[in-house]
């Protein structure tokens, strides 16, 4: 193990360099403040590894995304969301009847406490579904006290299954409430994703048949959103969990963070942007705005903190647009606008120099809109899928022997000590 050398105030220090199985090495600076009296400074954590993890690996330069070593493209094409959930939670692909048992367990947790339905009555019908999701998921800890002891592995497992299972039910309820339709109970005869589609689009007045092509596309979209290393919302879940907060509260914190337009809220913002652009002839105007330092406008669905190459999820997403359009025999001029916007942006020096490529959020809205979801539900769907990653990361953090409460420091630039002055002397 080599050391990284640091010279400060005419003293020399050495810090161990740790290597993972793949990816950048890390400099272990846990003793730096104690030895030097100085902090590191890294707003946005662009150069900071917050933990060790075995879940997901991203190579931003190469556009690589692995879940427990399996490439996202192969999982999206050959696996299922429930199998990817099992993989992230357990570390290996299920064998034998392990997947059936896991799916059966999840299925039997999809109902929510009947009292939870009354929570929705307090919201306005036009409440944003993400506002509802934040509130209702946080409230789960008021219902499931028997799975909030984070030091009990059995309770952690039950809470994990409850969160993964109930998120589709709550998401569908948020949609139903917004359109004034009755909530639909889960149907245990359906797949995880098929059940979600039925709870969302089914009505008591007539039977609902799950469209297999839509079910497959939706399941693939869930896979693409399942986990993504230490992104902002996952880091929020870990930080909340580091204080010992119960898992339902931690996931509610992750939902709140994901809502931001710079993060999971970008899928809603990207479709709104495409609708504002409208036709391809207006694309240059928006590209110029995105390049203008004095204009806060950014191309939504473009750029990424880690990917400085094409987001592999966007590749699969674009392919899925065509499959869904064909299956539903629909088209959307906004898809053509999106394709043209990508083409023009990727040929523009500004985007080339800053390595700004489409990310997972650029095409997802076009598909979700074609399936029938309103734009306001897009981030809810992201949160539904990312619950698997958040839960897996939360479990990994809780069982990490190095885990301690997260408590960053700061560079203080405020006033130094000064005496209080009474009002009549100011
Ligand atoms: C997600 O972290 C994850 O893994 C997130 C995620 C996940 O699965 O969890 O992948 C999901 O959040 C995807 C990203 C969704 N967000 C958007 O699409 C919103 C638009 N994109 C940006 O706001 C931005 O690209 C970020 C927030 C995604 C990344 O920002 P960074 O890494 O902090 O980069 P930056 O803001 O420092 O940008 C670098 C430069 C800047 O120019 P300079 O100040 O260097 O001159 O690129 C510019 C930015 O102004 N830039 C853009 C741009 N994104 C960055 N310019 C125009 N349009 C954009 N979209």
């Amino acid at each position: 193990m080599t050391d990284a050398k640091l010279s400060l105030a005419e003293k020399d220090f050495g810090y161990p360099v740790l290597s993972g199985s793949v990816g950048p090495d890390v400099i272990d600076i846990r003793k730096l403040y104690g030895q030097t009296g100085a902090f590191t400074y890294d707003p946005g954590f662009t150069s900071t590894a917050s933990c060790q993890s075995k879940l997901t690996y991203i190579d931003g330069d190469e556009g690589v995304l692995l879940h427990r070593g399996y490439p996202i493209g192969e999982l999206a094409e050959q696996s299922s969301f429930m199998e990817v959930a099992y993989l992230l939670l357990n570390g290996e692909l299920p064998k034998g009847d392990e997947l059936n048992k896991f799916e059966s367990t999840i299925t039997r947790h999809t109902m929510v406490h009947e009292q939870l339905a009354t929570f929705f009555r307090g919201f306005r019908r036009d409440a944003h579904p993400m506002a509802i999701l934040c509130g209702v998921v946080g409230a789960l800890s008021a219902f499931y006290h028997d799975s909030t002891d984070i030091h009990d592995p059995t309770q952690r497992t039950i809470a994990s299954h409850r969160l993964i299972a109930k998120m589709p039910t709550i998401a569908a309820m948020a949609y139903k409430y917004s359109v004034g339709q009755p909530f639909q109970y889960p149907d245990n005869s359906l797949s995880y994703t098929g059940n979600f589609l039925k709870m969302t689009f089914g009505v008591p007045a007539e039977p609902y048949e799950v469209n297999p092509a839509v079910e497959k596309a939706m399941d693939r979209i869930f896979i693409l959103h399942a986990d993504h290393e230490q992104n902002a919302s996952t880091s929020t879940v870990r930080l909340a969990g580091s204080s010992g907060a119960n898992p339902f509260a931690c996931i509610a914190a992750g939902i709140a963070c994901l809502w931001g337009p710079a993060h999971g809220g970008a899928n809603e913002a990207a479709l709104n942007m495409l609708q504002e652009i409208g036709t391809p002839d207006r694309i240059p105007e928006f590209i110029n705005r995105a390049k203008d330092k004095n204009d806060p406008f950014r191309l939504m669905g473009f750029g990424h903190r880690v990917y400085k190459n094409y987001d592999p999820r966007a590749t699969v997403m674009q392919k899925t647009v065509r499959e869904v359009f064909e299956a539903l025999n629909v088209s959307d001029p906004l898809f053509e606008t999106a394709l043209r916007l990508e083409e023009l942006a990727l040929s523009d020096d500004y985007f080339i120099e800053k390595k700004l490529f489409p990310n997972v959020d650029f095409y997802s809205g076009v598909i979700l809109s074609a399936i029938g979801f309103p734009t306001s539900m897009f981030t809810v769907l992201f949160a539904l899928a990312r619950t698997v990653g958040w839960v897996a990361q939360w479990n990994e953090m809780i069982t990490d022997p190095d885990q301690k409460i997260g408590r960053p420091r700061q560079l203080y630039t405020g006033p130094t000590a000064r005496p209080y002055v009474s009002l009549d002397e100011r």
Side-chain angles (χ1 to χ4, degrees):
M1 187 189 308
T2 57
D3 272 4
K5 304 293 185 213
L6 172 68
S7 290
L8 185 63
E10 296 176 354
K11 289 184 183 171
D12 293 331
F13 303 91
Y15 297 97
V17 176
L18 310 178
S19 298
S21 41
V22 65
D25 290 343
V26 299
I27 301 169
D28 183 349
I29 56 163
R30 284 176 285 185
K31 294 180 179 173
L32 182 137
Y33 174 57
Q35 290 174 352
T36 69
F39 298 137
T40 59
Y41 183 64
D42 187 16
F45 311 118
T46 51
S47 300
T48 295
S50 62
C51 63
Q52 296 190 35
S53 179
K54 299 179 185 334
L55 288 169
T56 292
Y57 173 69
I58 303 171
D59 181 330
D61 294 330
E62 298 301 319
V64 168
L65 169 56
L66 309 176
H67 290 316
R68 300 285 196 177
Y70 296 99
I72 189 63
E74 294 181 35
L75 292 172
E77 288 305 315
Q78 302 176 57
S79 186
S80 68
F81 182 60
M82 280 293 96
E83 185 174 72
V84 170
Y86 182 96
L87 172 66
L88 284 168
L89 286 170
N90 297 290
E92 296 295 337
L93 289 168
K95 297 183 291 295
D97 65 349
E98 288 174 337
L99 182 57
N100 284 336
K101 282 183 178 174
F102 178 71
E103 287 181 314
S104 175
T105 299
I106 296 296
T107 296
R108 277 161 180 76
H109 278 293
T110 50
M111 280 179 68
V112 294
H113 192 292
E114 197 66 10
Q115 285 293 105
L116 207 69
T118 58
F119 268 83
F120 290 78
R121 304 278 174 256
F123 293 109
R124 288 174 34 162
R125 289 282 181 176
D126 62 353
H128 194 291
M130 279 298 282
I132 295 177
L133 200 67
C134 284
V136 173
V137 172
L140 289 175
S141 43
F143 287 83
Y144 299 109
H145 299 290
D146 63 334
S147 61
T148 52
D149 177 357
I150 62 169
H151 302 295
D152 178 345
T154 304
Q155 291 198 30
R156 289 204 301 270
T157 300
I158 294 171
S160 301
H161 291 165
R162 279 174 165 158
L163 280 159
I164 293 169
K166 298 180 192 309
M167 202 56 80
T169 309
I170 295 168
M173 290 170 81
Y175 170 69
K176 285 304 198 190
Y177 189 73
S178 71
V179 295
Q181 292 181 357
F183 300 141
Q184 299 298 294
Y185 286 110
D187 177 344
N188 288 359
S189 69
L190 298 174
S191 72
Y192 180 90
T193 302
N195 180 39
F196 169 64
L197 290 169
K198 181 176 180 185
M199 289 190 290
T200 303
F201 297 118
V203 290
E206 59 188 32
Y208 177 83
E209 286 302 315
V210 176
N211 178 322
V214 171
E215 182 181 19
K216 180 171 182 288
M218 199 72 235
D219 198 73
R220 183 188 296 167
I221 289 171
F222 287 161
I223 291 173
L224 296 176
H225 288 84
D227 189 49
H228 212 240
E229 199 209 69
Q230 305 312 316
N231 58 84
S233 54
T234 296
S235 298
T236 300
V237 170
R238 280 179 171 260
L239 195 57
S242 73
S243 76
N246 74 69
F248 304 102
C250 295
I251 300 305
I255 293 169
C257 176
L258 184 75
W259 195 359
H263 190 13
N267 54 16
E268 175 176 357
L271 194 78
N272 289 338
M273 175 190 72
L274 290 173
Q275 288 168 338
E276 187 183 355
I277 294 173
T279 51
D281 61 299
R282 292 195 62 203
I283 290 173
E285 170 196 338
F286 284 81
I287 284 186
N288 289 334
R289 282 188 57 196
K291 292 158 60 174
D292 180 354
K293 273 276 165 246
N294 300 317
D295 189 331
F297 173 79
R298 287 191 165 182
L299 282 188
M300 301 316 285
F302 255 78
H304 199 276
R305 170 61 57 78
V306 177
Y307 289 122
K308 301 309 173 189
N309 198 324
Y310 212 98
D311 183 335
R313 301 168 297 176
T315 306
V316 179
M317 205 66 87
Q318 191 192 103
K319 175 173 174 284
T320 305
V321 173
R322 302 181 198 284
E323 291 175 7
V324 168
F325 280 6
E326 187 179 337
L328 296 178
N329 192 27
V330 298
S331 63
D332 184 344
L334 289 183
F335 182 48
E336 297 313 314
T337 301
L339 290 171
R340 182 69 178 139
L341 173 56
E342 174 186 337
E343 182 188 348
L344 290 176
L346 296 188
S347 60
D348 184 291
D349 288 345
Y350 174 91
F351 292 87
I352 293 168
E353 284 159 21
K354 295 182 187 296
K355 298 183 178 178
L356 303 174
F357 292 85
N359 59 49
V360 67
D361 294 311
F362 188 60
Y363 288 108
S364 57
V366 173
I367 306 173
L368 298 175
S369 181
I371 292 174
F373 292 102
T375 311
S376 61
M377 277 293 289
F378 291 176
T379 311
V380 169
L381 300 173
F382 194 148
L384 186 166
R386 186 53 57 88
T387 297
V388 162
W390 289 332
V391 163
Q393 297 268 356
W394 174 79
N395 277 291
E396 184 177 63
M397 179 219 42
I398 294 282
T399 54
D400 180 345
D402 286 348
Q403 189 269 328
K404 55 176 56 179
I405 189 166
R407 207 283 186 212
R409 301 302 301 275
Q410 64 181 11
L411 175 66
Y412 178 68
T413 56
T416 53
R418 52 182 171 167
Y420 179 80
V421 178
S422 62
L423 180 58
D424 55 8
E425 292 178 8
R426 289 174 210 161

